[in-house]
Amino acid sequence: MDGSRALTQAAVEFFYANHITRMTQWDPPQGWDDQPTPPPPPPPPPPPSSNWEVMHDPNTGRPFYVDHARQITTWNKPPELNDQSATPRATSSSYTTQSNSNPYLAASSSSSTQLNPYTLQRQHSNSSLASSRSTASRQTTYNTRKSWQDNPSAYFQPAPVIRDVDFSDALVIAEEFQVKKVEDALRLTCPSCDTPFTLSKRRHHCRLCGDVFCHECSANKVELPLEGPEFEKPVRVCDLCHQDVERGNFFSMRRYLTPLTLNQPGKEELPNSVASEQNVAAALASLCTDLEGMLSHSAEFQSKMTTIPPSNLIPNITKHLTGEKTSGWAVRCLAALLALGGIVGNTEYAHAVYLYGGTKAISDILGLLEKSGTDRKTLYTQEQCARLIFYLSDSSALASLQAKHSTLINTYPDREFGSQESLDIPRALRAMLDHSSNDKNTNLQRWAASSIRSLVKEDERRTTLSANDIAAAVASGQDEEVSQLKLYPSFLQELISTGGIMILCSLIGATDSDTRAHATGALGAILQATRSIDESLNTLYDMTGGLAGRKSEQEDDGSIIRAIVQGGGCGNSLAQMLLSADNAVARMGVDFCAALVGSLLKDPRGTATLSEGYFCQNDLTGLGACREAAFNIANGPCLPALLSLMRDPELGGRMRRPMDLKQVAMATLAAVVLAVSEMSKASPQACEDAIFAMNEEGVVPVMLAVLDSSSSQTLGGSRDSPSSRIREAAGICLASMAVCSGDAMEELQSCHAISAMLNNMSDTSTSTMRGDGAPRCLGMLQTAAALLTFSQHIEGMPHNELVDNLLECVDAGAISILSKLLYQRINWEAQDTAVGAMKARDACCRMLTSMFGIASTDELSHQRLWNVIDADAYERNPPRNIVTAVLGVLQLAGGHARNMLMGALRAGPHYHAALMDLVEAALYAVGSMCGSNVVPGMEHTLQLQQLLQSATPEKEDRRKKEACAIACDILVHRSSRQSLPLLPTMLVGGFGERTLNSALRLALAIAQNGDKEQHTKLAASGVLVPIS
């Protein structure tokens, strides 16, 4: 039976296909035998003897053996262990014990059905449980995910083994190659010195290469180890062949060059002539055999090719690309030459195809690729053409080609040489896309898929280079040259309209693992190239005032990302790559995920607060497409696959992954979780399932375990290392989960995670992972602030637990860290990098709001807090406390916000949102320092009488009066005659509705805890007018 069993992509269900009748069916055909079950995994290494200990490499998990007595370390199993029984060690059970004892992994991640009435920010509420969908549908989703997590091999069936096909026997030759003497009519001059042959200047045949030379160029006689009576004595050889003989090469490769040189395509020669097409085909076939034999021992390649420079050999091969009998062998020879050149690091052969073959040679190669036919010879020839294009488009070969071309042009100004532009990128891409889906020759499919990535990079190089040339001409004022320069038309956008993206997405689910990897790499390269081209064209558009380049609100990468998402690029096949035991394959999958969503962290606009009602499918920009990809990753199998990469064996994982792989995976997770969190604040119901999935897959316990693991704390946190990046990304994930999910917040609260966050906040340097200039500790800071705020909003929270949370923060050094962040300068002019700094101060202010709010309810904790503040203040020169820092932040942020609202400062929406968040948070913090007992976000739950009672102090507080005095001087003071005081402006709505509650809260605190002088200033400022 010629049939096979396949797995559908949409669901885990098998169907059966008969490749002869082209019939498919769901039921197994009669006589069908399932494939045998895979063998059980090999047993773990045996227990060591008394001197030997089995240890495991932390990066690969590979066991090695240590003899502590003799101080010996070896990868090989010692002979002493061979006699031991194969009883497995208890390593797996010890891992299980460690995993179960981890408090973070033991924390429950189940979804509750009640939402505690808390509000972290005015813009959002908990959305994970405000579900309009039934519990039954969610339980079905959970069961599906749980079954995948418990047994991923049942969810992703292993792909069948693909056996390489070999079509090389399709190329046949009619005769074996033999060295033939060159006819006199074919050589009128000596090929070495170009001297004409005459009666006195006789011809002499070289017995190695068969060509004819003059006496001066062949005055060498040597003994050759060849068969025949003429070789029983020394024979004549030419000077070039003599060089080969002196190096011990008695079978000079020049013997193949003679018929290749003398044959002129299209000119008929005698059948037995050295220049006949049959002899040329035989020479090419023998040359192929020799070259392919060197692939396994390439060291002798350079020495054997010394007497045949690429400038001579390559054009004499490329001219035979159009012959019926020689085209297949010519392509195969070129592919073998370029493969050997790639192995030994010699790009001269690839350069020679461009320089001496030129447009015609490459066009002939593409013509063979475009030839229709499914016979074995055609498929094999096209396989070699695709292989050849792969080497010709390699970036390492193209990098030095331009310099070589310029040198030849300057040396030989009268000659014409080809260049990089000889390769028609659109034509080559079309051909490769056509053949990448060819399942009749898997080798052709692999080479085609692998070539696409290099062609995309070359397309990017040409487009950006042409844009840079125009920009340089504009900058130098060369108007005439600008009019002559043309922008290279990139082919990448046509990949969507022509279905190229859909083809590559389908290849992610291909049966062949190499094809899957190459398709994934090609899609990632397309995204990267598109973004680079967009940036270059936008810059050119701004430089030329719209005369060149383009400016579009809808980035090109957005349409490509959406095509990838719609084509199933974020589905099961990608998850299977992420789960691969081969770290190289898993890295390809992770890099592809990072290419889809990485802009959400690198672009300052990607981390911005979204407007109410926002959803990614309605956003046509590139960031909107990235959010759509993140949404699909969170709702699909890629999320648990990414999380599995972060689980080491001691944390319940299957294997230990390299640190650089885990770094990219964690950054991808951070972008995904952050995007879903921001969208949930704008459209809670649209993100319910995604938040539910993140809770069920255990994002919070995995992130806490990563922060707590020894591997993430090995390297110092003050430098930009993979370990520090992993910690930073874990903090981003936790902060995002705390904002969007009540279940996640309860889980963090039950784990007492505030200390863990503060212990990981020592690094306040600028992040290299984010594009908004935020400090690395921002995620941990936001999480700690959210946890402290959450504890204030829990109804019925015991007062002693609130005080314990406050003292936990104080003892962990929160005041010192917050002061350090608040006193750092902000470059307000650099709007992109200022956004992250404002977010850090926003989190600082929200944390201080809760700390002072809790302290105001307990006299001892209040005194303890101020003692720590005073101690921190005296460590600075001059002494400055944290109250002054918060008021300074409020003054600067309020001034910039007023300028922006009045039109004096132009800024993007991400800058505007971050600035207004900071103003609101600073108002809340100053209000708490001035003695307000009103919990932010719960003003609506208090009656007027409660406000007045809670604000009446039992005795005067010197600290509150000092804070009220400073705040009153700053907020009700006119910075100039034209400007208005900040606080009345806020109360009248000059800063928008968002700051109204926080400004009222601060005004009430000053009125109740300030003295008569502050009351007089408040009244004189006009603050009572908007209140009344």
Side-chain angles (χ1 to χ4, degrees), residues 295 334-344 387 391:
L295 290 173
L334 290 173
L337 278 170
L338 268 62
L340 284 167
I343 293 174
V344 301
R387 179 186 178 195
Y391 290 113

Side-chain angles (χ1 to χ4, degrees), residues 829-853:
E829 302 299 328
Q831 296 184 5
D832 288 344
T833 56
V835 170
M838 288 190 287
K839 289 181 178 180
R841 284 150 183 79
D842 174 274
C844 291
C845 291
R846 295 188 186 280
M847 191 167 184
L848 288 172
T849 299
S850 298
M851 293 178 69
F852 277 94

Side-chain angles (χ1 to χ4, degrees), residues 558-571:
S559 54
I560 294 177
I561 292 175
R562 285 192 170 86
I564 292 173
V565 172
Q566 294 170 5
C570 301

Side-chain angles (χ1 to χ4, degrees), residues 354 398-399 401-402 418-424 458 461-462:
Y354 283 101
L398 294 175
L401 177 59
Q402 185 61 38
S419 63
Q420 290 169 299
E421 283 66 27
S422 300
L423 177 59
D424 189 343
E458 175 61 13
R461 187 198 66 83
R462 294 185 184 183

Side-chain angles (χ1 to χ4, degrees), residues 731 734-736 738 745 748 753 757 778-788:
L734 291 174
S736 302
M745 186 67 77
L748 288 167
M757 297 301 105
L778 176 59
M780 276 76 77
L781 177 60
Q782 290 175 329
T783 306
L787 283 171
L788 205 58

Side-chain angles (χ1 to χ4, degrees), residues 70-130:
R70 294 179 292 173
Q71 296 184 352
I72 298 175
T73 304
T74 178
W75 289 107
N76 301 321
K77 181 180 177 182
E80 294 91 331
L81 300 182
N82 292 331
D83 297 334
Q84 306 258 347
S85 63
T87 305
R89 291 185 62 195
T91 54
S92 59
S93 60
S94 64
Y95 285 156
T96 305
T97 304
Q98 279 185 334
S99 175
N100 293 338
S101 63
N102 193 309
Y104 301 139
L105 295 179
S108 172
S109 63
S110 60
S111 176
S112 62
T113 56
Q114 292 292 332
L115 174 63
N116 290 319
Y118 76 97
T119 305
L120 297 182
Q121 295 182 1
R122 292 182 63 253
Q123 300 91 329
H124 70 280
S125 59
N126 179 36
S127 62
S128 65
L129 297 174

Side-chain angles (χ1 to χ4, degrees), residues 1006-1022:
I1006 296 176
Q1008 293 173 334
N1009 299 310
D1011 55 19
K1012 292 183 179 180
E1013 183 180 356
Q1014 280 88 56
H1015 295 167
T1016 303
K1017 291 182 179 180
L1018 282 175
S1021 68

Side-chain angles (χ1 to χ4, degrees), residues 102-109 643 646 651 666 698-713 726-727 729-735 737-738 743-758 760 779-780 783-784 787:
N102 193 309
Y104 301 139
L105 295 179
S108 172
S109 63
L643 289 171
M646 304 310 304
L651 301 178
M666 185 62 85
V699 172
V700 170
V702 169
M703 296 303 121
L704 289 173
V706 167
L707 287 177
D708 191 58
S709 65
S710 58
S711 61
S712 67
Q713 299 174 1
I726 289 175
R727 287 198 300 272
I732 296 173
C733 290
L734 291 174
M737 291 297 297
D743 295 332
M745 186 67 77
E746 290 178 358
E747 190 170 1
L748 288 167
Q749 188 74 19
S750 65
C751 294
H752 303 284
I754 293 182
S755 296
M757 297 301 105
L758 294 174
N760 284 277
M780 276 76 77
T783 306
L787 283 171

